[in-house]
Amino acid sequence: MLLDIFNMEPNPMANFKGGEGEALVRMHNDEMGKVAQITLPVGASIGYHTHEDSYEVIYVLSGCGTCYDGDQVYPVSAGMVQYCPQFDGHSIVNTGTEDLRLLGIIPNR
């Protein structure tokens, strides 16, 4: 299956996962899992959440920000991958000066 995710209509989501501001989310969701392209404007965030049912892989497409991964905090930028194992938690904040664009993959387990 080919997903032209960047041409999907974005769904504005206020306080995504309990975060700040509004995220623009383009998502494909089926019985196998989710593929999402998330755009965080400057100052917006994905709230801290735990993956109880699966894991998540996030690829940073562009921009930069700060990732809260369990008890670790580190900068993220284009080309980096953040892996959140099952039962761990994470959050990402756009601390840069331009949109932070992410590609997330969450398989159903």
Side-chain angles (χ1 to χ4, degrees):
M1 171 188 303
L2 178 65
L3 298 175
D4 191 1
I5 202 158
F6 296 106
N7 285 321
M8 291 179 179
E9 190 66 31
N11 182 17
M13 300 180 80
N15 309 108
F16 189 63
K17 301 280 186 182
E20 297 294 321
E22 183 175 81
L24 297 174
V25 181
R26 295 169 170 91
M27 186 177 304
H28 171 80
N29 188 0
D30 65 20
E31 67 280 352
M32 298 302 291
K34 299 174 188 165
V35 177
Q37 191 279 309
I38 302 167
T39 300
L40 297 175
V42 174
S45 66
I46 299 171
Y48 194 89
H49 60 284
T50 302
H51 287 270
E52 298 292 334
D53 299 326
S54 188
Y55 61 90
E56 182 174 20
V57 176
I58 295 180
Y59 180 76
V60 181
L61 297 165
S62 65
C64 61
T66 300
C67 182
Y68 297 85
D69 182 359
D71 59 354
Q72 296 182 338
V73 179
Y74 50 86
V76 293
S77 59
M80 297 178 84
V81 174
Q82 196 265 329
Y83 170 68
C84 184
Q86 186 175 7
F87 306 118
D88 282 0
H90 64 148
S91 172
I92 296 179
V93 180
N94 182 345
T95 54
T97 58
E98 61 185 60
D99 286 350
L100 176 59
R101 293 178 34 166
L102 311 166
L103 181 67
I105 300 170
I106 307 169
N108 287 339
R109 296 195 48 135

